[in-house]
Amino acid sequence: MESQFTHVHDTPPPGAAADWTISQNWDAFTADEHAMWDRLFARQSEMLPGRAADAFLRGIDVLRLEKPGIPDYRELNARLMAATGWQVIAVPGLVPDEVFFDHLANRRFPAGNFIRTPQQLDYLQEPDVFHDVFGHVPMLADPVFADYMVAYGEGGLRSLKFDALKQLARLYWYTVEFGLIREAGGLRIYGAGIVSSFAESVFALDSDSPNRIGFDLARVMRTDYRIDDFQQNYFVINSLDQLLDTTVNTDFAPLYAKNAALPPIPIADFLPEDEVITRGTQEYALAKSG
Ligand code: PHE
Ligand code: FE
């Protein structure tokens, strides 16, 4: 999956507003497109109990996402707004960083307004409505995570004057997209890139291959990641409160400067101070690289 932070266009395409939004035009989705959503939904929801974070499963319920078909944002937003004040807005695809941050800071989550084809069932370059809505929106119904995403958007806008996009993108990647959380029953997934992926939902929790490391803000902001295959590292938070508190209560300006003076941490390396939860074999990544 592509990173949010790799957009290619600088001006909105024809038909999009200045803030890149378009109408969801829900009535235009075809029966085949709704059926694709249902197929993906059935496949994911079957495996998520016992794997997805409590907050994610609660979000699916609160938002009534089990209703068949691509969700109509008029209905979805009424529920989401009531829960946390967030809403989903339709965009053609990836949007520029500043536009993205501004939407988040104002409790608007931009979702790609297309759905993958059967040939793209397991891999696509740009996030589609299934990734964006099924993957991201349930967590936005959780009040603590909802506040984290707002703070992230505000922090993103602030970061533009620090040349810190890469560090901030890593934080997004290892939390919002590929985060794990420790719960009473064991590790659970909450990252949208995992919960919306059939294979990675299993790999992230069950495989001996990847490293699983306790979340450390500065460490995460220095850690490289891969966008072309399963992650080699997952970072584990103890609670959503921990994630919100550590990020909101840290002034990133000095941290950006400190991190910029240090080398990035190669994907699968450990640091002596890491809280190692799983020392991965990296068997999967090694086999792939031949
Ligand atoms: N506290 C961060 C700053 O000083 C903002 C931020 C909050 C960034 C939460 C990401 C997540 O810029
Ligand atoms: Fe995403």
Side-chain angles (χ1 to χ4, degrees):
M1 205 200 42
E2 281 295 321
S3 165
Q4 179 60 54
F5 304 95
T6 52
H7 78 279
V8 278
H9 307 288
D10 289 319
T11 51
D19 67 356
W20 287 69
T21 57
I22 56 176
S23 162
Q24 185 193 17
N25 200 7
W26 185 82
D27 300 290
F29 286 112
T30 65
D32 282 350
E33 289 173 324
H34 287 301
M36 174 54 75
W37 171 282
D38 291 343
R39 180 175 171 188
L40 291 162
F41 185 92
R43 190 167 78 145
Q44 286 315 100
S45 46
E46 195 182 327
M47 103 171 87
L48 291 180
R51 291 187 181 280
D54 271 347
F56 183 88
L57 297 172
R58 256 184 279 121
I60 296 269
D61 259 12
V62 167
L63 301 172
R64 309 269 162 83
L65 279 174
E66 64 285 346
K67 183 175 172 184
I70 296 169
D72 183 333
Y73 295 167
R74 290 166 292 198
E75 261 173 57
L76 177 62
N77 283 341
R79 297 208 162 86
L80 183 55
M81 283 271 215
T84 57
W86 273 81
Q87 57 181 311
V88 187
I89 50 170
V91 292
L94 294 173
V95 303
D97 307 317
E98 191 174 355
V99 174
F100 181 65
F101 293 141
D102 189 66
H103 281 309
L104 297 187
N106 290 287
R107 294 188 186 253
R108 294 187 297 259
F109 191 79
N113 205 31
F114 63 96
I115 192 152
R116 67 197 71 183
T117 64
Q119 295 74 38
Q120 297 168 310
L121 201 60
D122 293 306
Y123 182 81
L124 66 167
Q125 292 253 304
E126 278 203 51
D128 70 343
V129 65
F130 186 75
H131 168 82
D132 281 334
V133 173
F134 182 87
H136 285 281
V137 174
M139 290 302 291
L140 292 173
D142 179 273
V144 177
F145 193 82
D147 285 352
Y148 172 65
M149 287 289 272
V150 177
Y152 185 90
E154 291 167 349
L157 291 173
R158 178 177 184 236
S159 79
L160 297 172
K161 56 176 183 280
F162 297 121
D163 185 30
L165 204 63
K166 205 162 183 176
Q167 293 187 45
L168 213 55
R170 293 184 183 121
L171 174 61
Y172 192 88
W173 194 259
Y174 282 120
T175 60
V176 179
E177 294 292 354
F178 292 97
L180 300 185
I181 184 167
R182 224 191 297 253
E183 291 187 349
L187 296 186
R188 296 287 185 268
I189 57 190
Y190 72 92
I194 315 177
V195 293
S196 64
S197 159
F198 184 66
E200 196 154 359
S201 301
V202 176
F203 180 86
L205 292 177
D206 294 359
S207 172
D208 292 334
S209 192
N211 302 330
R212 299 179 187 87
I213 303 171
F215 179 82
D216 177 89
L217 179 62
R219 202 275 194 218
V220 163
M221 288 166 70
R222 289 178 52 208
T223 309
D224 285 334
Y225 59 81
R226 54 188 309 161
I227 63 169
D228 59 332
D229 207 333
F230 297 152
Q231 299 305 302
Q232 291 179 247
N233 269 328
Y234 298 96
F235 288 94
V236 181
I237 57 173
N238 294 320
S239 66
L240 295 173
D241 285 306
Q242 176 206 9
L243 179 62
L244 180 64
D245 293 347
T246 56
T247 51
V248 165
N249 297 326
T250 303
D251 180 355
F252 282 25
L255 190 53
Y256 292 145
K258 196 174 156 208
N259 282 343
L262 297 166
I265 302 167
I267 293 182
D269 280 17
F270 285 102
L271 299 184
E273 58 272 29
D274 282 341
E275 182 207 346
V276 180
I277 297 164
T278 310
R279 188 169 291 275
T281 60
Q282 298 300 336
E283 187 179 11
Y284 175 84
L286 291 170
K288 281 260 175 139
S289 63

